[in-house]
Amino acid sequence: MRGDNVLWQPGTDHAGIATQLVVERELLRTEGKTRQELGRQAFIARVWEWKEKYGHRINEQQADLGSSLDWSRERFTLDARASRSVVEAFVRLHEEGLLYRAMRLINWCPDCRTAISDLEVEHEETKGSLWEIRYPVKGSDESLVVATTRPETMLGDTAVAVHPDDPRYRHLLGKTVVLPLLGREIPIIADATLVSMEFGTGAVKVTPAHDFNDYETGLRHHLPMISIFDEAAVTNAEAGPYAGLDRLEARRRVLADLAEQGYLVAEKPHVLSVGTCQRSGTVVEPRLSPQWFVRTQPLAEPAIAAVEQGRVRIFPESWTATYFHWMRNIHDWCVSRQLWWGHQIPAYFCQDCPKDTPPVVARTRPETCPLCGGARLVQDEDVLDTWFSSGLWPFSTLGWPERTPELSTFYPTSVLETGHDILFFWVARMMMMGLHFMKDVPFRTVFLHAMVRDEKGEKMSKVKGNVIDPLDVIHGAPADALPPAVRNKFPGGMPAFGADALRYTLASLTQQGRDIKLSLERVNGYRAFANKLWNAARFVLLNLGDFEPAKSPLDKARLTLADRWILARLERVTGEVEAALETFQFAEAASALYQFAWHAFCDWYIELSKAALQGEDAVARDTTRAVLVQVLDQLFRLLGVSPEAFLARAAFPEATGRWRDAAAEEEMAPVVAVVEAVRTIRGESNLSPAARFRAVVQSERPNVRESLRRAQGYVLPLAGLASLEVLPPGPQPPQSASWVGEGLQVFVPLAGLLDLGEERARLQKELARLQTDVAGLRRKLDNPSFVARAPAEVVEKDRARVAELEQRSSRVLENLNRIEPEGTMSEKTPEEMFQSTPPTPSSGMFGIPSEPTHEVSPPAAAAPAPAPSKPAPKKKAAPKKKAKAKAKAKAKPKRKAKRGKKKAARKVKKGKKKAARKTSARKAKRGKRKAGRRTAKRKGRR
């Protein structure tokens, strides 16, 4: 849209582990076969069939969302061009000594049956146990007590380590202990790196083949490395009598025998970090295995320097530190996978050479072995990590290793946009590969977008049943096609929200550093926004008639205040959007456009334009049409909601300053403020929408007063007023609702507009109801048991409800105070009225100006505001004294009746008290007489 030569490269990777797992499970479910039973070639063909059937889903989602990709250049990491690039990169790295094969300890997934990288292991803290086991010292009565969270791995122990400075064990160095259960002797070694004297017993079992720290210790001390698990994490022959057991069953058996034989000292609760496979969720097993590795440190150093020097910028910048930390602590990258779906490693083992002979790495299959001349060469069965081919993406998709015109034109690329969760999986590896093979960075800017989660902030997963498919959101879906959690929300099926609504929702929620909580209610809100835009476009098109924009250039038009104002707002929002997009602040750009389109254009200018469109002045009508076309056209190009073919040819708007007009924005601001104030008062005071009444505006600013007097043609019809008085600050009109803005105050006298007594009763009843509701919710929230046991979202919802009810109570109380009888009204001086000027809903968008230093006069060429099309008939205002007298006369009978009721109630209460006192006195008197008689009788008897 700005005339640049742009390529947005479409394509997908082959997702090695994930895709193979899906097809394997489907094969087992439908045919009861494993991939081994099917055979490698047949299985790969089956995966290609699955890919052709389901692999287009991502492209469909992008296309339906309106992504403007060059679909003619679509690439797949397993297509012929990509495969050639992968082989070339592998061979070159091997030739340069940056890629090697070695027996190393790696992360192994027993479910996927393959090696996985450190980044594919997810760690979480879980509650477990710490077992203390006694290892007898050979030829002594002493024992060493070691602590472990995995007692089954003791079957592969090859040493016990203590700290060299620990006086408790210094005399045991060089001796051996007898491994419980198996009876194997293993040495006691000193190692300050592995052992902390303060932790546990100060003695640590060493299992080099099943723990990464122990592996490094084993290398330092040249210890044997005994693997006790096979590829399924089942114990092998090295486990002796415990062979053939699953890991957990082996643990149970080992603990039982340790306890029975007196070696188990104690079991203590312990919190430990457990690593699980990102794909399968299975607990990962450290395993000693021959694998292919990329030597990453020489590749990482240029990638670090590129970011340090500013040749590559990362947004949000907070991720830069994370990038540096990982790159400066990087380990060699295990790139081989024990899978069938992927790029088979171009390495060939000669069957005629000794078994430990290194394989032949070549671009094509060798005819004979270069060492022995034998012809029996077998290709390595392993495949490369998917991220190896993805790391070549910026240049392999452009034709590398050939020097194609596309490669010369588009490399380095400008912007990479991706999720922050693959900063290391993909971004860092593209940086290393690009700098190494192309001698330049692969991109200038990296934008890491937020993760899309469900509305509760939880990660979407098939297990939770909360995955939201973009195509379902766009086109709708029947209930039986929806995941369980989504179906609960839409039992009758999901309605079609449309692509524009979904795109705008995602843009508006994309704030740097925060994940997106995707609420479908929010999507529905932006569907309403799309409908608003459609209606605005329809209004403009229906009112164009035979209008020809070329015949009514805006440069020569006599613009009204409303025309100048909307064009100035358009200029301003264009600049705001440009600035936001330059820094990837998509939420700010979306918000600015939403506020302008919905409020400034649809709610205000379209309404203001109707008088000119329906009037008799042809020039004014065509000028208004020209403004409507200009605004609608530029707005749609900023939003990107026009047809794709049109957008590809249309110029993206730029803020040139052509329509900048601070005077128009300043003059229009109080007009908007007053109309909004009257609408607010009308709603809060329960006044009929059809009611026409008088409003009073007081302002200490002469320019504000003058603007409002000139713009009465706008204010009266939009606010639904019979008349508007614009005055300097003075006494507040009695019994009036008020609204305070910056530099002005709006009053609507309510006497005569509604029965104040009935309105007071209604408000009092509403206030009592709200206070009751608040009290009930507060009792729940003050109950610790409720807060502890209720779901977090329920508690949060109740707290939000309390805040909402309290806010409504405050508004009701304010409205009640406004219509109190005249004698109870507080008198405010003009100075007091303008001491507090809280922000208004319009201040953020329309920018009500602060105190100007001089009077602002309207431009000479400006057209006056149109007169109201149907002015309301004016009524003669009654003299103030007469109006007050009428109000008092009307209120007098009610006040008199109320006082009579109160007086009667007081009399009844007083009578009851007096009667009670008399009754009490009579009882006391009778009691005294009875007592006197009893005394007299006793005396007589004496």
Side-chain angles (χ1 to χ4, degrees):
M1 292 179 74
R2 286 188 167 169
D4 295 327
N5 188 15
V6 175
L7 168 64
W8 185 357
Q9 175 69 56
T12 52
D13 65 43
H14 57 279
I17 296 178
T19 304
Q20 178 160 318
L21 280 178
V22 169
V23 178
E24 277 196 81
R25 288 168 182 170
E26 186 177 297
L27 181 66
L28 191 62
R29 180 179 59 82
T30 58
E31 301 180 30
K33 293 182 179 179
T34 65
R35 63 183 167 104
Q36 288 81 7
E37 291 171 330
L38 197 63
R40 182 167 190 143
Q41 296 307 316
F43 178 78
I44 291 174
R46 191 70 63 90
V47 181
W48 274 108
E49 290 175 9
W50 184 92
K51 188 265 178 188
E52 293 303 318
K53 185 176 181 180
Y54 299 106
H56 62 279
R57 188 77 176 177
I58 294 174
N59 292 344
E60 282 184 16
Q61 292 170 348
Q62 287 186 304
D64 284 15
L65 278 168
S67 302
S68 303
L69 293 98
D70 184 351
W71 293 108
S72 68
R73 296 188 55 82
E74 183 183 351
R75 297 288 182 268
F76 180 57
T77 50
L78 276 179
D79 63 26
R81 287 187 180 182
S83 296
R84 182 186 171 196
S85 301
V86 168
V87 170
E88 181 65 26
F90 187 94
V91 174
R92 285 196 194 182
L93 290 172
H94 185 265
E95 290 172 346
E96 295 164 359
L98 295 173
L99 192 146
Y100 61 94
R101 189 172 188 266
M103 179 73 77
R104 298 271 295 273
L105 195 68
I106 47 89
N107 293 299
W108 181 269
C109 175
D111 189 21
C112 303
R113 307 286 176 93
T114 180
I116 56 176
S117 72
D118 294 344
L119 295 175
E120 293 168 304
V121 179
E122 294 182 341
H123 293 272
E124 59 177 324
E125 287 193 346
T126 59
K127 292 181 180 179
S129 295
L130 186 69
W131 288 275
E132 293 182 355
I133 304 170
R134 184 174 61 84
Y135 283 43
V137 176
K138 178 71 180 293
S140 166
D141 293 335
E142 294 183 81
S143 294
L144 285 177
V145 176
V146 302
T148 180
T149 58
R150 299 193 62 197
E152 68 278 9
T153 62
M154 67 174 290
L155 302 174
D157 285 358
T158 56
V160 172
V162 296
H163 197 280
D165 298 330
D166 195 332
R168 294 173 295 176
Y169 307 122
R170 193 175 293 142
H171 67 288
L172 296 177
L173 293 176
K175 295 186 178 181
T176 61
V177 294
V178 178
L179 183 65
L181 306 183
L182 294 185
R184 186 170 66 240
E185 286 187 39
I186 56 177
I188 301 172
I189 62 173
D191 194 289
T193 303
L194 180 68
V195 182
S196 169
M197 289 187 287
E198 291 76 26
F199 180 77
T201 62
V204 179
K205 61 189 284 296
V206 183
T207 318
H210 293 285
D211 181 273
F212 286 98
N213 291 325
D214 291 3
Y215 174 75
E216 297 297 331
T217 304
L219 292 178
R220 288 193 298 272
H221 295 272
H222 308 289
L223 297 175
M225 298 191 182
I226 301 173
S227 294
I228 64 167
F229 293 122
D230 65 12
E231 62 180 15
V234 173
T235 51
N236 57 25
E238 295 287 356
Y242 303 96
L245 301 177
D246 172 78
R247 288 178 292 181
L248 294 180
E249 179 59 28
R251 177 179 297 181
R252 284 190 287 269
R253 297 269 191 96
V254 165
L255 287 172
D257 288 351
L258 287 172
E260 183 181 348
Q261 297 178 32
Y263 293 116
L264 187 62
V265 177
E267 178 182 354
K268 300 175 182 177
H270 183 70
V271 176
L272 63 155
S273 177
V274 176
T276 58
C277 175
Q278 187 187 57
R279 297 295 180 187
S280 67
T282 306
V283 175
V284 170
E285 185 66 46
R287 187 169 189 240
L288 202 60
S289 173
Q291 302 289 339
W292 290 92
F293 296 88
V294 171
R295 211 179 303 278
T296 49
Q297 188 174 352
L299 301 176
E301 289 171 356
I304 293 170
V307 177
E308 287 177 331
Q309 296 162 6
R311 289 187 289 150
V312 175
R313 297 179 64 197
I314 299 176
F315 289 92
E317 292 185 1
S318 57
W319 284 100
T320 304
T322 309
Y323 170 84
F324 284 144
H325 176 76
W326 189 76
M327 294 293 276
R328 287 167 180 155
N329 295 278
I330 198 168
H331 298 287
D332 284 0
W333 173 18
C334 177
V335 294
S336 48
R337 298 289 180 269
Q338 288 62 56
L339 304 171
W340 287 353
W341 176 247
H343 295 98
Q344 193 168 352
I345 292 174
Y348 303 87
F349 293 91
C350 178
Q351 302 301 295
D352 297 323
C353 289
K355 286 188 177 181
D356 58 349
T357 303
V360 178
V361 175
R363 290 172 177 82
T364 58
R365 182 187 183 88
E367 294 294 330
T368 58
C369 173
L371 297 178
C372 72
R376 293 196 306 146
L377 293 167
V378 177
Q379 188 172 358
D380 193 330
E381 290 191 352
D382 291 353
V383 300
L384 285 168
D385 181 8
T386 301
W387 296 109
F388 187 92
S389 54
S390 296
L392 309 175
W393 186 264
F395 49 96
S396 67
T397 54
L398 298 175
W400 185 87
E402 294 178 9
R403 198 73 190 176
T404 63
E406 296 92 336
L407 191 62
S408 301
T409 301
F410 295 114
Y411 192 94
T413 64
S414 301
V415 178
L416 168 73
E417 177 269 336
T418 189
H420 62 73
D421 58 324
I422 54 175
L423 173 61
F424 311 123
F425 281 111
W426 193 30
V427 180
R429 286 160 178 171
M430 282 191 286
M431 288 280 288
M432 292 189 288
M433 295 293 200
L435 283 162
H436 183 73
F437 290 113
M438 298 298 298
K439 309 307 178 187
D440 198 356
V441 295
F443 25 71
R444 303 296 185 195
T445 302
V446 178
F447 173 64
L448 301 173
H449 65 66
M451 298 298 297
V452 180
R453 299 180 179 272
D454 70 6
E455 61 186 352
K456 297 177 182 177
E458 295 182 0
K459 186 176 181 180
M460 293 188 191
S461 72
K462 291 182 180 179
V463 175
K464 295 178 180 177
N466 62 346
V467 176
I468 300 173
D469 189 328
L471 295 179
D472 291 343
V473 178
I474 294 170
H475 302 295
D480 58 1
L482 298 173
V486 182
R487 185 165 57 246
N488 291 339
K489 203 168 189 64
F490 297 98
M494 183 183 290
F497 293 102
D500 288 333
L502 178 57
R503 288 171 61 192
Y504 215 86
T505 302
L506 295 172
S508 67
L509 296 175
T510 302
Q511 296 184 355
Q512 294 185 11
R514 296 183 183 178
D515 285 347
I516 292 175
K517 294 181 181 180
L518 183 59
S519 164
L520 293 174
E521 284 82 0
R522 190 76 175 263
V523 179
N524 194 41
Y526 284 112
R527 179 170 64 170
F529 178 52
N531 290 339
K532 187 91 168 177
L533 292 171
W534 187 88
N535 287 325
R538 183 169 177 269
F539 172 84
V540 173
L541 294 173
L542 288 175
N543 282 281
L544 288 183
D546 57 356
F547 171 73
E548 296 180 28
K551 294 182 179 180
S552 301
L554 287 176
D555 291 338
K556 300 176 181 179
R558 190 163 178 254
L559 303 175
T560 64
L561 171 61
D563 297 335
R564 292 165 47 221
W565 170 75
I566 194 62
L567 290 171
R569 290 293 305 135
L570 180 64
E571 181 79 18
R572 184 181 296 276
V573 78
T574 300
E576 291 172 354
V577 170
E578 279 187 291
L581 294 181
E582 284 292 328
T583 54
F584 304 96
Q585 302 289 340
F586 297 111
E588 283 74 5
S591 177
L593 285 168
Y594 179 92
Q595 295 296 328
F596 173 82
W598 190 294
H599 299 294
F601 184 53
C602 296
D603 287 354
W604 288 98
Y605 184 72
I606 285 181
E607 293 302 317
L608 291 167
S609 71
K610 290 178 180 178
L613 293 173
Q614 296 165 7
E616 300 299 326
D617 187 338
V619 175
R621 187 165 55 249
D622 279 352
T623 299
T624 301
R625 287 169 169 171
V627 173
L628 285 168
V629 169
Q630 172 69 28
V631 175
L632 188 68
D633 171 58
Q634 189 161 327
L635 172 62
F636 273 21
R637 282 185 282 137
L638 286 168
L639 286 166
V641 296
S642 294
E644 186 176 323
F646 166 75
L647 283 177
R649 295 190 297 271
F652 192 82
E654 295 183 18
T656 61
R658 176 186 179 190
W659 302 114
R660 189 178 297 124
D661 194 337
E665 292 188 87
E666 184 176 345
E667 190 171 353
M668 195 68 182
V671 175
V672 172
V674 169
V675 173
E676 287 191 337
V678 173
R679 289 173 176 174
T680 300
I681 291 171
R682 186 189 293 273
E684 291 183 350
S685 300
N686 203 29
L687 298 176
S688 167
R692 297 293 179 265
F693 45 79
R694 177 176 69 97
V696 178
V697 177
Q698 296 180 3
S699 176
E700 58 188 0
R701 301 179 184 177
N703 63 308
V704 171
R705 297 198 299 271
E706 184 58 32
S707 295
L708 289 171
R709 291 188 183 109
R710 284 200 302 266
Q712 291 216 23
Y714 294 148
V715 176
L716 295 182
L718 289 178
L721 293 176
S723 64
L724 177 69
E725 293 182 47
V726 183
L727 306 169
Q732 176 176 334
Q735 293 186 324
S736 63
S738 65
W739 184 94
V740 181
E742 188 173 344
L744 58 82
Q745 190 164 11
V746 182
F747 302 98
V748 174
L750 299 176
L753 295 177
L754 70 167
D755 187 319
L756 298 181
E758 288 183 4
E759 182 64 10
R760 276 195 293 272
R762 185 187 73 81
L763 291 173
Q764 287 167 348
K765 185 176 180 182
E766 175 69 6
L767 184 62
R769 185 186 67 79
L770 290 170
Q771 290 172 342
T772 301
D773 290 348
V774 169
L777 286 169
R778 285 227 170 271
R779 280 195 297 273
K780 282 172 63 178
L781 293 171
D782 290 342
N783 183 350
S785 177
F786 168 76
V787 174
R789 289 190 289 182
E793 59 269 20
V794 172
V795 175
E796 191 58 36
K797 186 177 179 182
D798 283 352
R799 285 174 178 158
R801 178 68 175 157
V802 167
E804 179 196 348
L805 292 174
E806 287 178 339
Q807 191 176 18
R808 284 171 56 187
S809 299
S810 178
R811 288 200 300 268
V812 170
L813 190 59
E814 287 175 10
N815 293 338
L816 189 59
N817 289 334
R818 288 173 183 166
I819 59 174
E820 283 297 321
E822 192 176 333
T824 63
M825 294 283 288
S826 62
E827 296 293 334
K828 289 187 178 180
T829 65
E831 292 77 12
E832 289 171 332
M833 282 193 293
F834 292 100
Q835 278 179 354
S836 175
T837 57
T840 69
S842 62
S843 61
M845 186 175 75
F846 299 101
I848 296 176
S850 57
E851 179 72 19
T853 56
H854 60 278
E855 291 276 336
V856 179
S857 303
S869 54
K870 292 183 181 180
K874 293 186 177 180
K875 295 180 182 179
K876 290 184 179 180
K880 289 185 178 179
K881 289 184 179 178
K882 192 173 180 181
K884 286 184 179 180
K886 281 186 177 180
K888 285 183 178 180
K890 191 174 180 180
K892 189 173 181 180
K894 291 184 179 180
R895 287 200 297 270
K896 190 174 181 181
K898 195 172 182 180
R899 282 198 298 270
K901 286 181 181 179
K902 287 183 178 179
K903 191 174 181 181
R906 282 196 298 271
K907 282 184 178 180
V908 170
K909 194 173 182 181
K910 189 176 180 182
K912 286 181 179 179
K913 286 183 178 179
K914 191 174 180 181
R917 283 197 299 270
K918 284 183 178 179
T919 301
S920 179
R922 283 197 297 271
K923 285 181 178 178
K925 202 170 181 180
R926 284 198 298 270
K928 283 183 181 179
R929 284 200 297 267
K930 285 181 180 179
R933 285 197 294 270
R934 284 196 296 271
T935 302
K937 283 181 181 179
R938 283 197 296 271
K939 285 182 178 179
R941 283 198 294 272
R942 287 194 192 118

